[in-house]
Amino acid sequence: MSALKLSINGKSHTIEVDENMPILWALREVVGLTGTRYGCGIAQCGACTIHLDGEAVRSCSLPVSAAVGKKIITIEGLSAKGDHPVQQAWAEVDVPQCGYCQSGQIMSAAALLRENPKPTDEDIDIAMQGNICRCGTYTRIRKAIHLAAEKAR
Amino acid sequence: MSAYTTFDRRSFLKVTATAGGGMLIGFQWLTACQPTTAGAANTWVEYNAFLKIADNGQVTIMAPNPEIGQHVKTSLPMIVAEELDIDWKAVLVEQAPLDTDKYQRQIAGGSGSVRTNWETLRRAGATVRDMLKEAAAQEWQVPVSECTTENGMVKHTSGKSLAYGALAAKAAELPVPEEVIFKAPADYKIIGTRAKSVDLDNIVTGSQQYGMDTKREGMFYASIVRPPAFGQKLDNYDDSEAKAMPGVTDVVRFDDKIAVVGTSTWAVISAKAKIKANYSAAAKLESTDGYMQALDELAAKGSAEPRRQDGNAKQAFRQADKVLEATYQAPFLPHAPMEPMNFFAHVQEDGVELYGPTQTPASARRETAALLDIPEDKITVGMTRMGGGFGRRLRTDFVLEAVQVSKAIKAPVNVIWTREDDMTGGIYRPAYVYHYKAGIKNGELAAWYLRAASVNSGNGTRQDNFPAGALNNWQVDYNDYASAITTGAWRAPHHNFAAFSDESFVDEVAHELGKDPVAFRLELLEKAKSRPGGEVKFDPDRYAGVIKLAAEKAGWGQSKPTGVYQGIGAHFSFSTYVAQIADVSIEDGKPKIHRIVCAVDCGIVINQSGAENQIEGSIIDGLSHAMYSELTFKNGQPEQHNFNAYRVMRIGEAPVIEVHFVKNEEAPTGLGEPGLPPVIAAVGNAIFAATGVRVREMPFTKIDLRPKDNLLGELIK
């Protein structure tokens, strides 16, 4: 166990954890931010996607020690009032079914739009390929990302 | 269309001073959590199991059924709100716990939530609307016939009006009307609109709670070691290394399972890997090749007692001009919902609390009572929103695990399954083998004979599927294969395979007869009206209606871009009619699906957005499993453990989807399942149209569809 200092959603947290614990479980069970979801544990489904220094990463497969000195942004911190263009577009299109994968989908989409403010369908397919939705909301996800791109302009 | 109904006179009325919690819906972005009505609620009048109104006019509607992503937490309250005649945006929705006195059939299964609650929910809203109207009439001392309602107000012909909140207490003192008149569909203001999921804002901000997020004072986490192969039992184990791991508080055994208990999920799943267990075989440890062959042989035997028999198929084959034969098959599939299994239990001396994702809370309570030998009224069951389920959460094995662990450690516990546990822990869509024979006589389909086999299914056929009843000679036989591999309901049980194989074989017959596949189906449906073969379990006109609508919208029979071919699949399941047309091309010997056009007849559509979403999702689910997925076994062990080896559809493979609903005033039916089955046949039939190759097994991507001369070219290279 070590005391690790982390920057999460703009706030500094010092937590006592096994430093091999994946960021996912530290966020969910130590810090109490449960919006980041467990889906596979091996970086195959994308439900656990967060931003680490602005880049979309799978928090289930990175030890918490790898986040020291970096800025973690989770779904709870993506926007102060839940009004990031991607969140607004997701609501407008009524994307979710069960909703479980959607935190990860939204975090991947937000990272895509920062890199590429006007993605094509093909860009979206490539960037979102790592996020599984078993309910099958893919066509709505594509639509919502285009809408978010418009809103951000 | 309006209907009279007799109200079951029960003493529902109850006035409470507690403000119920709940999720405010329909609020504006950025003004979240500001109720649209002024002031705080002081007194709530609970009129019936579904509805309460506060003195400030706030209306709370209970969502009775488990929410698994099918949006019944939104659609069921919409029905109450419609008849109550209020502004949907001002409604609070609350998830009800299990209460078998107040609610009927609290199950997420059989696409039955809307269908079975339609009458009850309309009555719940309409009786209260009439009581509020009566209260206003008495207040104004006018005939009730001069009063109307609109958006949470009672209005009088003179122009006077009173808000529901101001009438709530007075209305509660009135007798519950025995008869009410339901609204005519033409007057609907909420039903048929595009309402967003009531949990939408919680989902997009990450604050939505699922079972995995349950955390209570003094709660432990547990991860369970189960026998790795179906058919094995646990002999003994060494837990010394696991127990020495940080964060591990206990290791307990029950049945053939070992639970590692601790203070965090990471601690218990890490320690679980350190358990050294020895197992021995208690049943046959099966492998994929072996059981597929066994199923094939079992199916070929036929059965002495058919599941359905009209006329004499065997005799008709002897008299036929030609007999077609084909064998279809499909593998086991896990459900693989995004949220793996988990459940919370707290077993105490005086009662048990169960809380978590379950499609059948009543079964969870009943089986817990049986396990602990306590009365059911000592057990409460709370339902979380579920991260999918697809039938897996109709079972209670994971609930009973939590009960066993909590009982053993005398503390509250959340049992968490890893993805590997979820994929290898059992309850699968069974494997199938179907042998078909069709007899052709004088250019017509004269006889149909299906001999089927599946695993631990009781009846793994849907013997009344189209075209049953449309021809004189029809027989369906079934043999069940007993296996240690556990099986259960998987979205649209048996239909998910039967629709693929039936609708593909219908296509084979159409091509043999040189008939257009759409025209051939319509011809059979026309024949079904005269019932030459006995019972017809579907409405041929509604069935034909979706086929015609899909064909029209998809441009069936019209020219297509080069290399794009169409196939049709149509199916009736769970009281809903669905037809789908797939546009497919072949690229590098693999099918590429460009577009699915879908027509649905589910009667009245409650929530247009939710309904379209269900169909879109069902299509993706069907395509995903048709194209990519299979669970194989070696010596009783599943060979795919996670999404790296078990493939599901990803966004880049998702086609364009168009959904069209037939507009009518039939009572609404469910949409959670019926959109899935026909799409598999639609793609298979399009592949045939493109290549002349008939795909008779899933997943389709295993089949090399390169033309033979190309294949030769590849070999020479």
Side-chain angles (χ1 to χ4, degrees):
Chain A
M1 299 284 271
S2 331
L4 299 180
K5 200 174 162 196
L6 300 176
S7 163
I8 306 169
N9 298 334
K11 282 185 197 158
S12 176
H13 294 255
T14 301
I15 57 171
E16 278 280 327
V17 280
D18 165 4
E19 46 184 66
N20 294 318
M21 180 186 277
I23 299 171
L24 168 70
W25 296 111
L27 288 171
R28 289 180 51 78
E29 292 178 6
V30 183
V31 183
L33 293 171
T34 55
T36 305
R37 314 288 178 193
Y38 166 77
C40 71
I42 58 166
Q44 289 292 310
C45 80
C48 68
T49 305
I50 59 166
H51 296 172
L52 195 58
D53 276 350
E55 198 187 327
V57 298
R58 313 297 182 214
S59 67
C60 73
S61 298
L62 281 174
V64 65
S65 55
V68 174
K70 296 184 175 173
K71 289 190 172 69
I72 296 174
I73 300 292
T74 70
I75 184 73
E76 291 93 342
L78 183 62
S79 61
K81 293 176 178 172
D83 59 350
H84 185 282
V86 172
Q87 288 168 311
Q88 289 190 38
W90 244 247
E92 224 165 284
V93 176
D94 192 24
V95 171
Q97 285 183 36
C98 84
Y100 192 82
C101 74
Q102 300 294 348
S103 300
Q105 303 279 3
I106 289 169
M107 296 306 282
S108 290
L112 162 67
L113 289 175
R114 189 164 41 226
E115 292 282 309
N116 180 354
K118 202 183 168 190
T120 62
D121 274 349
E122 201 184 356
D123 296 334
I124 292 170
D125 288 351
I126 292 166
M128 302 298 291
Q129 199 69 359
N131 289 77
I132 295 174
C133 173
R134 277 286 288 110
C135 296
T137 61
Y138 296 134
T139 54
R140 290 188 180 212
I141 287 172
R142 263 190 223 133
K143 191 174 168 190
I145 292 175
H146 287 305
L147 180 62
E150 269 174 42
K151 285 180 180 292
R153 243 175 278 145
Chain B
M1 184 189 73
S2 55
Y4 282 93
T5 181
T6 303
F7 190 72
D8 172 20
R9 289 186 68 87
R10 292 165 67 180
S11 52
F12 269 137
L13 293 181
K14 202 168 81 183
V15 180
T16 58
T18 53
M23 172 63 212
L24 187 75
I25 58 161
F27 48 81
Q28 292 297 305
W29 204 264
L30 296 178
T31 58
C33 302
Q34 296 295 317
T36 50
T37 47
N42 297 312
T43 311
W44 286 92
V45 179
E46 193 178 329
Y47 290 91
N48 53 43
F50 300 94
L51 189 53
K52 49 189 180 183
I53 303 178
D55 52 353
N56 68 347
Q58 183 64 61
V59 172
T60 296
I61 300 178
M62 304 304 287
N65 280 24
E67 174 58 63
I68 197 169
Q70 83 284 43
H71 288 342
V72 293
K73 193 176 172 184
T74 306
S75 57
L76 299 182
M78 285 171 76
I79 299 169
V80 180
E82 180 67 71
E83 288 293 342
L84 183 63
D85 212 357
I86 42 165
D87 179 6
W88 173 243
K89 288 186 166 55
V91 172
L92 281 161
V93 171
E94 233 178 274
Q95 175 71 56
L98 174 67
D99 190 332
T100 43
D101 292 332
K102 279 185 173 176
Y103 307 108
Q104 58 189 4
R105 200 185 179 275
Q106 288 179 284
I107 296 171
S111 299
S113 294
V114 166
R115 189 175 75 238
T116 59
N117 282 296
W118 171 239
E119 288 289 323
T120 308
L121 296 176
R122 284 194 297 168
R123 200 185 303 151
T127 46
V128 176
R129 179 193 64 212
D130 281 2
M131 289 158 79
L132 291 161
K133 225 159 55 168
E134 180 62 36
Q138 289 184 14
E139 182 77 26
W140 293 326
Q141 298 190 331
V142 299
V144 73
S145 58
E146 291 175 7
C147 300
T148 54
T149 57
E150 193 184 327
N151 265 344
M153 306 281 285
V154 183
K155 296 186 168 179
H156 182 246
T157 46
S158 65
K160 283 186 287 199
S161 66
L162 273 171
Y164 284 179
L167 295 163
K170 187 176 174 64
E173 290 163 12
L174 299 173
V176 178
E178 289 186 28
E179 285 188 338
V180 290
I181 299 175
F182 293 145
K183 278 187 180 180
D187 296 331
Y188 286 160
K189 297 192 183 84
I190 298 170
I191 289 176
T193 59
R194 301 187 73 85
K196 287 169 184 171
S197 161
V198 295
D199 286 329
L200 181 61
D201 299 300
N202 287 341
I203 291 169
V204 301
T205 55
S207 60
Q208 180 62 46
Q209 297 282 296
Y210 294 86
M212 290 285 284
D213 307 324
T214 303
K215 177 126 191 188
R216 300 290 172 79
E217 190 67 32
M219 187 193 89
F220 292 90
Y221 294 91
S223 182
I224 293 175
V225 182
R226 302 170 190 83
F230 292 92
Q232 280 182 326
K233 64 181 179 61
L234 174 63
D235 290 334
N236 51 61
Y237 64 98
D238 174 0
D239 62 7
S240 50
E241 215 183 320
K243 273 184 164 165
M245 299 271 287
V248 174
T249 56
D250 222 337
V251 175
V252 295
R253 175 184 178 166
F254 56 93
D255 307 330
D256 286 311
K257 301 173 180 179
I258 308 156
V260 180
V261 184
T263 53
S264 75
T265 301
W266 177 244
V268 296
I269 62 179
S270 304
K272 188 168 96 159
K274 306 289 183 187
I275 298 275
K276 295 178 187 71
N278 294 303
Y279 304 91
S280 56
K284 190 180 171 195
L285 306 181
E286 293 181 286
S287 300
T288 296
D289 286 349
Y291 66 61
M292 288 315 289
Q293 196 187 333
L295 277 182
D296 188 62
E297 288 165 8
L298 193 60
K301 281 182 187 170
S303 58
E305 291 181 15
R307 293 282 154 180
R308 174 166 173 158
Q309 187 166 23
D310 303 338
N312 190 336
K314 287 174 189 170
Q315 192 181 40
F317 291 132
R318 285 194 293 273
Q319 296 160 354
D321 301 330
K322 181 157 190 182
V323 175
L324 296 186
E325 291 196 56
T327 299
Y328 285 79
Q329 65 178 59
F332 286 94
L333 297 173
H335 300 77
M338 290 313 295
E339 180 191 17
M341 296 305 107
N342 63 83
F343 222 81
F344 170 88
H346 190 190
V347 178
Q348 291 178 285
E349 283 295 317
D350 55 348
V352 178
E353 184 194 356
L354 301 177
Y355 186 71
T358 170
Q359 293 178 245
T360 48
S363 309
R365 186 174 69 183
R366 187 176 59 246
E367 289 174 29
T368 299
L371 178 73
L372 299 176
D373 195 20
I374 59 170
E376 284 199 38
D377 62 14
K378 296 283 184 201
I379 303 165
T380 63
V381 189
M383 294 178 259
T384 56
R385 187 182 184 87
M386 285 173 268
F390 312 107
R392 181 63 183 84
R393 290 185 159 105
L394 289 166
R395 303 298 277 258
T396 56
D397 52 323
F398 50 92
V399 178
L400 299 181
E401 285 181 350
V403 170
Q404 296 263 32
V405 177
S406 176
K407 186 188 168 195
I409 66 169
K410 296 183 167 54
V413 69
N414 200 3
V415 168
I416 307 283
W417 291 41
T418 62
R419 173 57 56 197
E420 289 81 2
D421 294 337
D422 196 88
M423 204 165 277
T424 63
I427 318 294
Y428 304 118
R429 193 285 294 270
Y432 297 89
V433 173
Y434 276 18
H435 288 294
Y436 287 93
K437 275 173 97 170
I440 310 290
K441 180 80 178 170
N442 300 331
E444 299 215 337
L445 172 60
W448 176 286
Y449 183 28
L450 165 62
R451 289 165 296 158
S454 181
V455 185
N456 303 332
S457 293
N459 176 15
T461 73
R462 300 291 89 162
Q463 66 278 353
D464 300 315
N465 279 352
F466 170 86
L471 57 158
N472 303 71
N473 304 297
W474 178 273
Q475 185 170 336
V476 175
D477 289 354
Y478 178 71
N479 285 310
D480 204 33
Y481 180 74
S483 170
I485 299 170
T486 53
T487 67
W490 190 103
R491 197 175 194 175
H494 306 314
H495 289 281
N496 59 51
F497 174 71
F500 157 58
S501 55
D502 285 352
E503 279 291 281
S504 299
F505 194 57
V506 164
D507 215 66
E508 293 199 43
V509 176
H511 285 282
E512 175 63 32
L513 294 173
K515 291 184 176 175
D516 172 82
V518 166
F520 180 55
R521 283 171 174 80
L522 295 175
E523 183 189 311
L524 286 171
L525 286 164
E526 199 55 39
K527 281 184 185 165
K529 288 186 190 174
S530 61
R531 295 173 192 263
E535 204 173 1
V536 176
K537 293 267 181 124
F538 43 82
D539 178 334
D541 287 326
R542 293 180 75 183
Y543 213 127
V546 291
I547 291 175
K548 287 176 190 163
L549 181 60
E552 177 206 324
K553 298 289 183 184
W556 179 265
Q558 294 165 17
S559 66
K560 294 284 163 305
T562 310
V564 175
Y565 294 84
Q566 290 192 321
I568 184 168
H571 194 63
F572 170 70
S573 62
F574 308 96
S575 310
T576 296
Y577 300 81
V578 181
Q580 289 160 346
I581 290 174
D583 290 10
V584 172
S585 66
I586 308 297
E587 293 182 9
D588 301 326
K590 302 290 176 201
K592 181 176 169 61
I593 306 159
H594 299 272
R595 182 181 71 158
I596 303 291
V597 174
C598 179
V600 184
D601 182 352
C602 61
I604 293 167
V605 173
I606 306 298
N607 177 3
Q608 189 72 24
S609 179
E612 285 169 11
N613 211 347
Q614 283 311 295
I615 297 297
E616 290 160 8
S618 303
I619 287 170
I620 298 292
D621 202 3
L623 294 177
S624 183
H625 294 91
M627 293 285 283
Y628 310 111
S629 309
E630 76 176 321
L631 190 71
T632 57
F633 291 83
K634 189 155 194 189
N635 299 324
Q637 291 195 30
E639 294 185 289
Q640 296 76 29
H641 296 185
N642 206 321
F643 290 121
N644 54 346
Y646 183 77
R647 218 181 137 198
V648 294
M649 181 167 268
R650 290 172 184 269
I651 192 167
E653 297 145 345
V656 170
I657 298 171
E658 292 175 19
V659 185
H660 305 277
F661 289 94
V662 172
K663 285 182 177 53
N664 60 32
E665 294 187 358
E666 299 284 344
T669 55
L671 288 171
E673 296 165 283
L676 186 152
V679 76
I680 304 172
V683 172
N685 293 339
I687 290 171
F688 178 80
T691 63
V693 175
R694 183 57 68 179
V695 288
R696 298 195 182 97
E697 64 182 292
M698 291 186 270
F700 294 165
T701 46
K702 276 173 72 178
I703 303 160
D704 194 331
L705 296 167
R706 284 174 295 182
K708 291 217 168 55
D709 49 343
N710 279 14
L711 199 61
L712 198 62
E714 288 289 314
L715 290 172
I716 291 163
K717 260 192 270 172

